[in-house]
Amino acid sequence: MTAQLPVRKAILERRTYEAPAEGREGKVRLDFNENTAGCSAAVTRALREMSQKQLAMYPEYEQSTARLARYFDVSREELLLTNGGDDALRVFFDAFVDPGSSIIICEPTFPMYRYYAEIAGARVEALRYGSEMEFPLGGILGELEKEPRVLFIANPNNPTGTLLQVDALEKVLRAARRTAIVIDEAYAEFSGVTMVPDIGKYPHLFVARTFSKAAGLAALRLGAVIACTESLSYLRRAMPPFPVNRAALVAAEAAVRDRAAIRRHVRDIRRVAKWFTEQLHCLGVKTFASAGNFLLANFGPNGPQLFQQLEREGILLRDRSKDLGAGFVRITIGTQAEMTLLVKKIRQLGFSANRRP
Ligand SMILES: Cc1ncc(COP(=O)(O)O)c(C=O)c1O
């Protein structure tokens, strides 16, 4: 029996949602850009200390928001906490995007911009990164003349690793008249570039952040939007009263109190990324400069077979062959031990960039 349900047109037109990979536990997980070393021990200590009463009460946000605002060097009024970075992106659709209105993105990029646009019934104007993964600045400036509702730029971009400097982003901000400019800085701790200090200068600038990457809290789902108080007030109106759970707040506060652990992790990732990139070059694999905790590489026509063999060996990478061409892959930079194992397996499997498949 089929139910007669009043399903929205935008939902009927969506492709079926493909759930994120399950069954990753125990594998070498270089496919989701997580902190594979785990969060700081201060976080697990703080979570263990939570009381039964605390867990039974609805969360309060004022104090935690003030403490987390200090981490970003903004005021409490300039910070909105969200249920993960994904939710920090979704709220723009609820606040600014009517069905049939348009947003701009630059692909390949984080898929959630398109995902939420489809649910909202919005039109997506998509430009492309260049063959060397360069950002199409001229094209974006031109698109802004059409006054789309929102422009999303991941900086650095996932999966290309492309990083725009502040001066390029300021060109974008100056060209926007009635467009919300969202700079998604999920990997800002690794890149060292942030637009947060500019929120007072540009009222249509919104910076999205997450505690899933450098802080290692992906399981707890905590994200944030940072913007000037007045602009942020429109997003607040589109939020539910309890978007963030108490455990996420406790964990994030502990994580930012232990800033040294975050800095150590960033240093480790940069060092391992440099070593791993050199190893790939020795294997004849092309890589693209990345400012995140991941690397886009092109293994050529033998790549897809290699990625499947590695998966059978319990090493997960993100194959991007479908959208970027056979052999493109995004690899999370894990611990030195994980990356050493990966290089060893690639060699053991007899991979050659030049041999015909
Ligand atoms: C560019 C970018 N933005 C946002 C996110 C969202 O992360 P989360 O929802 O775990 O905070 C990710 C995760 O991979 C990402 O790559």
Side-chain angles (χ1 to χ4, degrees):
M1 208 167 61
T2 323
Q4 293 291 309
L5 294 170
V7 185
R8 287 174 48 228
K9 186 164 165 276
I11 298 297
L12 289 173
E13 283 172 358
R14 283 204 81 218
R15 274 167 286 130
T16 318
Y17 171 60
E18 283 169 33
E22 293 278 324
R24 301 167 66 239
E25 188 102 31
K27 299 191 173 155
V28 179
R29 292 168 283 189
L30 305 178
D31 54 344
F32 270 71
N33 298 346
E34 294 145 323
N35 174 336
T36 68
C39 64
S40 119
V43 169
T44 42
R45 260 198 311 276
L47 287 173
R48 266 197 298 271
E49 281 165 16
M50 287 185 77
S51 72
Q52 287 164 290
K53 280 244 165 85
Q54 275 177 328
L55 288 171
M57 302 295 151
Y58 285 101
E60 292 186 16
Y61 295 116
E62 226 174 86
Q63 237 184 40
S64 302
T65 307
R67 289 183 188 139
L68 295 174
R70 252 177 263 142
Y71 173 67
F72 295 113
D73 206 11
V74 296
S75 73
R76 182 160 56 79
E77 293 74 25
E78 292 164 330
L79 177 67
L80 171 71
L81 296 175
T82 60
N83 187 23
D86 286 348
D87 201 39
L89 304 172
R90 184 200 52 78
V91 66
F92 289 97
F93 291 88
D94 286 348
F96 299 135
V97 181
D98 287 312
S101 63
S102 64
I103 66 148
I104 331 178
I105 57 174
C106 194
E107 288 179 323
T109 192
F110 187 52
M112 295 309 287
Y113 313 132
R114 191 178 268 284
Y115 181 102
Y116 289 130
E118 284 175 5
I119 293 175
R123 279 193 326 221
V124 179
E125 304 296 337
L127 276 71
R128 296 286 300 177
Y129 280 82
S131 58
E132 288 302 313
M133 304 305 156
E134 63 277 21
F135 182 79
L137 182 59
I140 287 286
L141 296 180
E143 284 294 324
L144 283 172
E145 284 173 20
K146 300 181 202 155
E147 302 192 351
R149 298 290 177 92
V150 188
L151 162 64
F152 291 95
I153 300 176
N155 197 48
N157 185 44
N158 167 16
T160 62
T162 314
L163 180 69
L164 291 176
Q165 296 297 334
V166 173
D167 55 346
L169 290 169
E170 287 203 300
K171 277 192 192 135
V172 173
L173 285 159
R174 282 196 294 269
R177 287 189 294 262
R178 294 193 66 228
T179 301
I181 308 293
V182 181
I183 309 300
D184 180 351
E185 296 186 351
Y187 304 95
E189 284 88 348
F190 302 102
S191 73
V193 173
T194 178
M195 292 306 283
V196 169
D198 282 26
I199 56 168
K201 204 158 134 198
Y202 299 104
H204 53 310
L205 165 63
F206 296 85
V207 178
R209 299 286 289 252
T210 178
F211 289 84
S212 293
K213 306 299 177 182
L217 302 181
L220 287 163
R221 317 304 302 128
L222 186 63
V225 183
I226 299 164
C228 74
T229 310
E230 194 197 335
S231 302
L232 207 51
S233 72
Y234 299 111
L235 298 191
R236 289 192 198 282
R237 289 189 211 176
M239 292 294 289
F242 300 109
V244 169
N245 72 80
R246 178 87 184 245
L249 297 175
V250 167
E253 283 186 47
V256 302
R257 267 198 306 274
D258 191 7
R259 269 180 207 230
I262 297 180
R263 277 196 223 108
R264 242 186 344 264
H265 174 65
V266 169
R267 262 201 312 273
D268 286 349
I269 291 300
R270 287 189 181 145
R271 180 177 42 76
V272 175
K274 184 167 177 289
W275 174 86
F276 179 62
T277 305
E278 285 161 10
Q279 297 298 310
L280 289 187
H281 292 170
C282 291
L283 287 161
V285 173
K286 178 173 169 62
T287 63
F288 297 85
S290 173
N293 65 342
F294 56 87
L295 188 68
L296 183 69
N298 182 1
F299 281 69
N302 297 321
Q305 193 196 354
L306 172 73
F307 311 146
Q308 280 170 17
Q309 286 170 322
L310 287 167
E311 190 170 340
R312 282 197 290 274
E313 300 266 344
I315 301 179
L316 307 176
L317 311 179
R318 183 60 65 88
D319 187 350
R320 301 298 303 239
S321 298
K322 275 201 193 118
D323 57 340
L324 287 171
F328 276 87
V329 68
R330 189 196 70 198
I331 306 173
T332 302
I333 306 299
T335 61
Q336 180 68 64
E338 287 169 327
M339 303 319 277
T340 303
L341 177 70
L342 172 59
V343 171
K344 191 171 133 199
K345 288 284 179 201
I346 294 173
R347 289 189 187 281
Q348 274 175 2
L349 290 166
F351 170 78
S352 158
N354 305 317
R355 184 173 38 83
R356 285 173 173 277

